[in-house]
Amino acid sequence: MMNRVTCFSAVSILMLGCFCQKKAEDQKTVAVIGGKAVVESQLESFSKMKRMYPTRIDPIFTGNKSDITLLIETEVLSELGTDAVLSGNDWKWKKVFYPAQMFLTDILDKNMGYTDAEIEAYYKLHLKDFTSTVKVGAPKVDAAPGAKLNGMKDSIVAGRDTTIVKTLAEIRQQLLEKMFCEKNPPDAAFLAKRATTVTDSAAKKDTVALKREWFASVRNALPAFFMKKYYVAKFKKPMPDSISVWCGDGKFITKADIETILGWIPEQQRNFYKNDPQRYRELAEWLLKWKLFSEVAEQTKYTTTADIASIIEWARKLDRAADYVQKDLIPKAKKAAFVDPTMAWYAYWDEANRKTALSDTAGYNATYRRLMEKAVGYELDKVIYDVRKKKNVSFPQADYADDKGKNPAQIALQADTARDSGDSRKAESLYSILVTSFPFTEQGARAFGELAKIQTETEQYRTAVDNYRWALVSSKDASKRCNMFFMIGFIYDEYMNNPDLAEVNYKWVLKNSPDCELADDAEFMALHLDEPMNSVEELRGEAIRQGRKIDPSDTVAVEDAPDTTKKK
C-alpha cells in the first residue's frame, strides 16, 4: 500500500480524475461473477476507490494484482466475510472520507464549489457577456497604390454582421473566476497583505487584477479556504486559532476520531503526529475538512450520485474481504506454507552476493522471513483461486480478462511447445504467466525452472538465479536439485564473475548429490574456477580423449556448507 500520509495530501487527492457514469444498459460487461454482471462504470469506481483507500491492507492479499483481478477477489471474498468489521469508528470515518475526497475533487477543485449544473445555468444567464459581433463574407479588395475603385478607398472590407458565441469550454476558467468572486469577495487578510505588496496607485485601483490575484490565492490554498468557509456556515462564527474549540472530548472532532485516523497512518509515523503539536493540528484539520466537506456534499445531494454510491459499496466489500482474509485465510496459509530452511541459506547468500558464515543468523532470518511471506502469499492465492473458480468467472470482453481465467495446464502445454520449437520469446511469456498467476499449481512450480533456463539464454542472469533458487527453496522434491545447483554455479562462474558463489553451488552438488550425472562436471568446474571458458573446455576435451576423469588427488573441499541431509 502507498504511504497513508501521501494519501491525505491535497495534491494527491486533486490528481484524481472526475468520472461520470453512463447507464448500466449502455455499458460493456467486463466480467460475470456467479451470474452477476460487472459493467465498466463499476470497474472504474472500484479502481478509484482503491486509489483512495485510506488504510493499509495486508500486501500478501493485494500484491501487485490488476484492478480486475482484485475486484473479482473482493466480490467473491466479501460474501464470506461479515459486517462486524463495519460496526466501528473506522468504517464510520471511511463513509465520511470517500464523499469528502470526491467532493474536493469534483466540486471544489474542478468547479470552485459549484456544480456543473450551476455553472451551466450561470453561463446561459450571462450569455450576452460572451457574445460578440464580427464582419464576415466578402473578401478584402486590394487596388494598385493610389488607384480608386468606384470612388472608394482601396482595401475596403465588405460583408455582413455575424454573431460569435464563445462556448462554455472556451471560457470556463474565466467564468469560474467571475462566479467565485461575485459570491466570495476578497477577505480582509488578503486585502491587508495586498496593500503592503502593491505600491502603485493605479494597480491598487485595478479591480480586475485584484480579483484575479484573489482567485489565484484561493486556488493555492483551496482546501483550507473551503474548510474555513464551511466552518463559518455551520457554526455561525469564524474558525478559531485554537483547535480545542472544535477538537476534543464531546467536540465536533473527538479524541476517538483522532485515534481512528492515527490507525490509518503507518505505525512508524504515528508518534510524529502524537508528539508534535503542529502535526497533531494538521491531523485534526484533515478530519475537520473531511467531515465538513462530507456534510456539504450530502446537503447539496452530491452524495446521491451513482458514482459515490458505487465507491462506498466497493469500499464496504473490500473491508469485508480484507477482514476475512486477515482473520481466516492468512492463518491457514501460514500453516500450509513451506520454505526449506537449508535452501534459504543459499538464497541469503544470493542476496548478499557473497557467502557468509553460518553464524550470520540476522541476515539469514530476514531472508527467510521474506521467502516465507512469498510462500504464504502463494498459499493464499491458491485458496482464493479455488473460491473464485466456484463462482464461474467469465470475461465477455477479452480486453478486460485476467490470466487467472485461463487453464494452467493448457498454458503449460503451449509454453512447452513454444520452447521445443525454438520460440523462446513466446515460451518466456507463457511461463511468466504461470509463475505470476499460478505459482501454487504443479505447472506453476515447474515453470520457475523452465523460465530460468530461458532467462539464462537471454542474459537475464540475476532473474534466472532467483527463479532457480525459488524452485529449490519452495519444493520438497530433491530430484531436480543437482541440475539447478549446477546451473546456478555455472551462471555465477561464467556470466556473473562471482567464483565464490559459483564454488558454493558446485560444492553443494559434490556434497549432497555425488552420484548425479553432473557431479563430475561440478568438480571439474570447481577445480578450474577463474579460468577462461576455452581453457576449461580444452582441459575437458583432453580428459575425455584420454579416457580419464579428473585426477582423484585434485579434490574439492565441501565441508563448509549447510548439511541438507539432516531431517528438518
Side-chain angles (χ1 to χ4, degrees):
M1 291 290 291
M2 64 181 174
N3 186 307
R4 292 297 103 209
V5 177
T6 302
C7 177
F8 296 145
S9 71
V11 174
S12 300
I13 293 168
L14 297 182
M15 289 174 63
L16 296 172
C18 177
F19 164 65
C20 299
Q21 290 192 329
K22 300 181 288 184
K23 292 181 179 179
E25 58 267 24
D26 298 332
Q27 300 179 57
K28 292 180 180 178
T29 296
V30 298
V32 179
I33 307 171
K36 182 169 66 174
V38 177
V39 297
E40 290 172 307
S41 64
Q42 290 174 299
L43 176 58
E44 292 184 45
S45 292
F46 178 85
S47 300
K48 191 180 298 185
M49 178 278 300
K50 192 187 77 170
R51 293 197 301 271
M52 287 191 291
Y53 197 78
T55 55
R56 182 183 184 276
I57 300 177
D58 197 316
I60 293 177
F61 169 38
T62 55
N64 294 317
K65 297 172 183 175
S66 67
D67 285 359
I68 188 64
T69 298
L70 190 58
L71 179 150
I72 292 167
E73 294 182 359
T74 296
E75 178 68 30
V76 300
L77 294 173
S78 68
E79 297 177 4
L80 302 176
T82 70
D83 281 337
V85 69
L86 309 176
S87 61
N89 213 32
D90 181 84
W91 177 245
K92 184 191 82 172
W93 268 99
K94 282 176 182 170
K95 288 193 295 182
V96 169
F97 175 82
Y98 282 108
Q101 306 316 312
M102 296 299 297
F103 186 76
L104 174 59
T105 301
D106 289 349
I107 304 300
L108 302 185
D109 178 56
K110 178 189 171 189
N111 290 346
M112 294 300 291
Y114 300 99
T115 64
D116 287 337
E118 288 174 323
I119 295 171
E120 187 171 356
Y122 186 93
Y123 169 73
K124 290 178 179 178
L125 185 63
H126 298 81
L127 202 58
K128 59 182 177 54
D129 296 339
F130 313 110
T131 303
S132 59
T133 302
V134 298
K135 295 278 189 182
V136 297
K140 181 178 179 180
V141 179
D142 291 317
K148 300 293 182 180
L149 188 62
N150 296 327
M152 300 171 62
K153 292 181 179 180
D154 61 346
S155 301
I156 299 296
V157 176
R160 56 187 175 80
D161 291 345
T162 298
T163 301
I164 301 296
V165 181
K166 293 183 178 179
T167 66
L168 176 56
E170 290 176 312
I171 50 87
R172 183 179 179 82
Q173 286 304 307
Q174 176 188 346
L175 189 64
L176 280 177
E177 183 178 321
K178 182 177 176 64
M179 291 178 69
F180 178 82
C181 290
E182 284 180 1
K183 193 172 182 180
N184 304 276
D187 61 26
F190 171 80
L191 292 174
K193 183 178 180 180
R194 189 174 189 270
T196 62
T197 56
V198 179
T199 57
D200 183 76
S201 58
K204 287 183 177 181
K205 296 177 182 179
D206 187 345
T207 57
V208 174
L210 174 96
K211 291 178 180 178
R212 186 176 300 115
E213 291 169 21
W214 165 240
F215 185 78
S217 72
V218 173
R219 270 286 190 197
N220 289 334
L222 187 140
F225 172 84
F226 280 103
M227 174 181 66
K228 294 174 182 177
K229 175 182 172 68
Y230 294 151
Y231 186 96
V232 171
K234 181 175 182 64
F235 296 105
K236 311 305 179 188
K237 54 186 177 182
M239 185 175 164
D241 291 334
S242 174
I243 68 172
S244 62
V245 176
W246 49 266
C247 180
D249 291 337
K251 304 293 178 60
F252 189 59
I253 303 298
T254 69
K255 288 184 178 179
D257 295 332
I258 295 288
E259 287 298 319
T260 295
I261 305 308
L262 279 170
W264 295 8
I265 299 172
E267 187 173 358
Q268 65 272 21
Q269 298 179 14
R270 291 172 194 168
N271 284 334
F272 294 144
Y273 290 93
K274 287 181 178 181
N275 301 328
D276 185 327
Q278 181 57 37
R279 290 194 175 187
Y280 188 88
R281 180 188 182 93
E282 291 174 5
L283 178 64
E285 287 187 354
W286 285 343
L287 276 67
L288 179 63
K289 284 193 283 275
W290 299 341
K291 199 166 183 180
L292 289 172
F293 293 173
S294 188
E295 286 185 357
V296 175
E298 187 172 356
Q299 293 163 9
T300 57
K301 308 299 182 184
Y302 174 77
T303 53
T304 61
T305 62
D307 192 20
I308 293 291
S310 182
I311 285 173
I312 292 178
E313 176 62 11
W314 279 120
R316 183 188 72 84
K317 289 182 177 181
L318 184 55
D319 266 23
R320 283 173 57 107
D323 184 65
Y324 175 69
V325 167
Q326 187 66 43
K327 293 178 179 177
D328 191 275
L329 298 188
I330 288 182
K332 294 177 181 176
K334 287 181 177 179
K335 291 181 179 179
F338 171 78
V339 168
D340 189 301
T342 302
M343 295 294 107
W345 271 107
Y346 293 90
Y348 169 50
W349 292 337
D350 290 337
E351 291 180 6
N353 203 37
R354 62 189 179 88
K355 181 185 175 183
T356 66
L358 296 179
S359 58
D360 183 13
T361 55
Y364 166 81
N365 289 338
T367 296
Y368 184 82
R369 284 193 298 270
R370 284 193 292 273
L371 293 170
M372 182 55 73
E373 183 175 292
K374 184 176 181 178
V376 170
Y378 288 168
E379 288 295 331
L380 179 62
D381 280 351
K382 178 181 179 181
V383 176
I384 295 175
Y385 178 70
D386 289 340
V387 174
R388 170 179 163 152
K389 279 208 305 184
K390 293 176 183 177
K391 285 293 185 178
N392 297 317
V393 177
S394 61
F395 300 96
Q397 309 293 329
D399 291 344
Y400 291 101
D402 71 353
D403 290 328
K404 287 184 182 292
K406 301 174 182 177
N407 185 322
Q410 291 179 355
I411 297 173
L413 180 60
Q414 293 168 357
D416 292 345
T417 301
R419 175 203 61 198
D420 294 342
S421 65
D423 191 347
S424 59
R425 179 174 296 182
K426 182 178 179 180
E428 181 178 7
S429 175
L430 292 167
Y431 286 130
S432 294
I433 292 174
L434 289 171
V435 302
T436 301
S437 297
F438 302 99
F440 46 83
T441 65
E442 177 185 345
Q443 295 84 5
R446 183 175 67 85
F448 282 98
E450 296 299 329
L451 189 57
K453 294 176 187 177
I454 296 173
Q455 289 165 337
T456 303
E457 295 170 0
T458 54
E459 301 182 4
Q460 302 173 67
Y461 303 123
R462 179 73 268 166
T463 308
V465 168
D466 290 342
N467 281 323
Y468 273 131
R469 192 69 72 197
W470 177 253
L472 291 165
V473 162
S474 60
S475 177
K476 298 178 183 179
D477 181 6
S479 63
K480 303 292 184 182
R481 286 183 177 177
C482 174
N483 288 8
M484 290 186 182
F485 266 100
F486 179 85
M487 284 307 304
I488 293 172
F490 189 82
I491 292 170
Y492 276 127
D493 188 5
E494 294 302 322
Y495 305 123
M496 297 182 71
N497 193 30
N498 194 328
D500 291 337
L501 286 186
E503 184 178 24
V504 165
N505 286 274
Y506 288 146
K507 283 182 177 181
W508 183 94
V509 175
L510 300 177
K511 179 177 181 179
N512 298 282
S513 192
D515 296 326
C516 85
E517 60 182 8
L518 291 174
D520 287 346
D521 290 331
E523 185 169 13
F524 191 92
M525 298 299 285
L527 286 169
H528 297 283
L529 288 170
D530 280 337
E531 291 187 26
M533 187 63 189
N534 57 348
S535 298
V536 174
E537 290 297 342
E538 289 173 5
L539 289 169
R540 188 190 302 278
E542 182 180 348
I544 293 174
R545 287 193 299 273
Q546 295 178 3
R548 62 177 176 81
K549 293 185 178 181
I550 299 171
D551 189 335
S553 63
D554 294 335
T555 58
V556 179
V558 296
E559 66 276 8
D560 55 343
D563 189 351
T564 60
T565 62
K566 293 180 180 178
K567 293 183 178 180
K568 308 297 183 296

